[in-house]
Amino acid sequence: MNESHANPKARVADFYSRVATTYDEIGPAVFATFGQRVIERAAIPPGARVLDIAAGKGANLFAAAEKVGPTGQVIGIDIAPAMVQQVQESIRLRGLTQAAMQLMDAEQLTFADASFDYVLCNFAIFFFPHLQQALTEFLRVLRPGGTFAVTLPGGGDPRWRWYNEMIGTYYQQEQIDLPPLLANAQPLPDLGSFTQLMGQIGFTSVHHSVEEAEFVYASEQEWWEARWTHGERYPLENMPPLMLERFKAEVFKRMAALKQSDGYHEKWRIYCVLAHR
Ligand SMILES: C[S@@+](CC[C@H](N)C(=O)[O-])C[C@H]1O[C@@H](n2cnc3c(N)ncnc32)[C@H](O)[C@@H]1O
């Protein structure tokens, strides 16, 4: 077992560094779509100070930078070095003086208490092994009256449920034990328990909205290539080549039934939880 496999956080950092170049770049921009949505929900005004935790390729960071304008400040942090480098380069190319990106573990924030008006954390809360401690840190860096926005998975598209089931079946048949990409000791609590935990930690007026969007992939090849650009790549890249070949062929056969005149549709659903300090 190499070092990155022994340490779940190193495994996550390695994985997201590998997908950094193509993340959200093939097929519809899923994460940028939801990033924009969350920024609208959070209603960030010009001049605000924003922290984007586990910022990835900047789906929220760039949308927030537009809202805060040149008088505000958006800092993104991420544990994957290549994500950080890519976002730093995009910030430079866009000439954004109000944005910055740093390499940092979300569970060990180096910012002073009450540093930010907004703290965001999208598509990432399930990566933190010490959830309560992480949320306590997020509250600490938020100023009194500030807003926290976090997204939770809201259930997959029932038309595609067979896909994950098929992954499970293949791994079972081949008797391959894949260590989870997520480092959590405990599974992420459901929405009700999660919002209750936020209240216990000290967040106030915790409320949520359901956010849905349907994305269209022009061809099965585009859909397949998009799987390799985010978390869904993990079980695929760990399949031995012959298993992967068989799996892909069976997936393409099965997905033919889902083809519509413009391609393959996939609905994503998340909960956007908002709260104040
Ligand atoms: C699914 S991506 C989401 C990125 C972005 N927030 C978005 O909405 O597109 C998850 C990100 O969480 C980062 N991440 C995972 N664990 C982390 C940790 N402990 N500290 C900081 N970032 C972490 C990964 O490197 C990855 O970039």
Side-chain angles (χ1 to χ4, degrees):
M1 197 182 259
N2 67 26
E3 166 61 18
S4 75
H5 270 238
N7 175 350
K9 277 195 182 172
R11 185 161 64 231
V12 168
D14 262 19
F15 176 81
Y16 278 100
S17 277
R18 273 202 304 286
V19 299
T21 316
T22 54
Y23 186 86
D24 225 16
E25 302 280 354
I26 298 178
V30 173
F31 297 97
T33 300
F34 284 114
Q36 192 70 46
R37 199 77 78 78
V38 169
I39 297 304
E40 296 300 334
R41 293 278 177 207
I44 299 175
R49 291 163 305 160
V50 180
L51 173 64
D52 186 14
I53 290 168
K57 201 78 173 277
N60 311 287
L61 179 142
F62 290 111
E66 206 168 296
K67 293 287 180 194
V68 303
T71 60
Q73 186 188 34
V74 184
I75 299 179
I77 65 116
D78 202 281
I79 205 169
M83 285 292 199
V84 173
Q85 285 155 12
Q86 296 252 336
V87 173
Q88 284 172 338
E89 181 63 3
S90 299
I91 290 171
R92 196 184 61 79
L93 289 174
R94 295 177 197 210
L96 293 172
T97 52
Q98 71 269 42
M101 180 78 172
Q102 299 180 18
L103 186 66
M104 200 182 293
D105 182 344
E107 293 188 319
Q108 290 176 30
L109 299 179
T110 59
F111 304 106
D113 296 359
S115 304
F116 298 97
D117 304 308
Y118 291 80
V119 173
L120 315 170
C121 181
N122 290 348
F123 289 102
I125 194 76
F126 32 76
F127 284 113
F128 312 140
H130 313 102
L131 180 61
Q132 188 156 347
Q133 198 181 312
L135 287 171
T136 306
E137 268 297 277
F138 303 167
L139 184 68
R140 179 185 70 75
V141 298
L142 197 58
R143 70 152 167 83
T147 301
F148 176 50
V150 56
T151 62
L152 303 183
D157 187 329
R159 294 169 294 188
W160 291 91
R161 192 166 292 141
W162 56 268
Y163 176 74
N164 282 330
E165 287 168 1
M166 201 188 279
I167 289 178
T169 306
Y170 268 66
Y171 269 93
Q172 221 171 6
Q173 279 170 356
E174 301 280 333
Q175 299 182 329
I176 298 173
D177 195 18
L178 183 65
L181 177 60
L182 314 185
N184 301 35
Q186 305 283 330
L188 187 68
D190 63 21
L191 177 68
S193 311
F194 184 84
T195 52
Q196 202 177 355
L197 176 65
M198 284 179 66
Q200 284 160 8
I201 286 170
F203 287 98
T204 60
S205 45
V206 183
H207 56 290
H208 77 273
S209 60
V210 177
E211 305 295 336
E212 287 182 334
E214 184 153 306
F215 301 100
V216 182
Y217 297 85
S219 64
E220 53 271 82
Q221 192 57 30
E222 185 180 83
W223 180 88
W224 177 253
E225 284 172 20
R227 301 306 100 189
W228 292 76
T229 64
H230 55 77
E232 289 188 27
R233 174 190 181 121
Y234 184 67
L236 301 178
E237 70 177 12
N238 281 289
M239 286 185 185
L242 283 177
M243 173 177 164
L244 179 65
E245 210 175 289
R246 270 196 304 117
F247 177 77
K248 183 181 174 187
E250 195 175 342
V251 167
F252 275 29
K253 214 181 204 176
R254 181 87 185 255
M255 70 189 279
L258 294 176
K259 189 165 188 175
Q260 300 190 28
S261 57
D262 54 350
Y264 296 89
H265 290 227
E266 189 178 27
K267 200 181 260 186
W268 284 55
R269 186 172 189 271
I270 58 168
Y271 300 119
C272 174
V273 180
L274 290 168
H276 300 303
R277 174 172 177 190

